[in-house]
Amino acid sequence: MDAKQLTILVKAIVSEQQTIIGPMAIDEANKVAGLKVSVDLRDISVSGEAKVVLKSLVGQYQKLFGQASVEACKESIKQILPQIPRQEIPEFLVQ
């Protein structure tokens, strides 16, 4: 997965979480190692392995709101997934 695809996935996940928990979604995303997200979602910086960052991001939301957050994350990226090689996405996001 290239950097643009990863940024699109992160933006979709954080944006969906924003609709659920508001500005706290940005705060939680910025707690993830290797991820920096601006308040307006225009600037997203990812360092490190894509799968690890995605798994950590979803895990951060899951800590707060459980499986419902995971399902919201999966739903938010459903239309993007066909464009990305399956092996590059954490398994639990493609089930």
Side-chain angles (χ1 to χ4, degrees):
M1 148 177 20
D2 63 30
K4 184 178 179 181
Q5 290 172 322
L6 180 56
T7 299
I8 290 168
L9 286 173
V10 168
K11 186 174 184 175
I13 290 169
V14 176
S15 180
E16 179 65 22
Q17 292 296 321
Q18 270 188 311
T19 64
I20 299 167
I21 63 174
M24 195 165 112
I26 300 293
D27 296 336
E28 293 303 313
N30 283 319
K31 291 179 182 177
V32 174
L35 183 61
K36 285 290 172 208
V37 179
S38 67
V39 175
D40 61 4
L41 290 176
R42 288 188 182 164
D43 296 315
I44 297 173
S45 170
V46 181
S47 60
E49 187 181 339
K51 276 176 110 169
V52 172
V53 172
L54 287 172
K55 185 174 181 177
S56 297
L57 176 61
V58 175
Q60 189 66 34
Y61 294 127
Q62 185 178 21
K63 281 187 223 175
L64 294 173
F65 300 104
Q67 189 61 29
S69 286
V70 175
E71 296 305 318
C73 291
K74 288 165 70 171
E75 187 64 30
S76 71
I77 63 172
K78 190 187 305 186
Q79 293 182 334
I80 304 165
L81 287 180
Q83 303 163 25
I84 300 170
R86 189 176 179 104
Q87 69 272 15
E88 295 184 28
I89 303 294
E91 188 64 32
F92 72 94
L93 286 176
V94 293
Q95 295 175 349

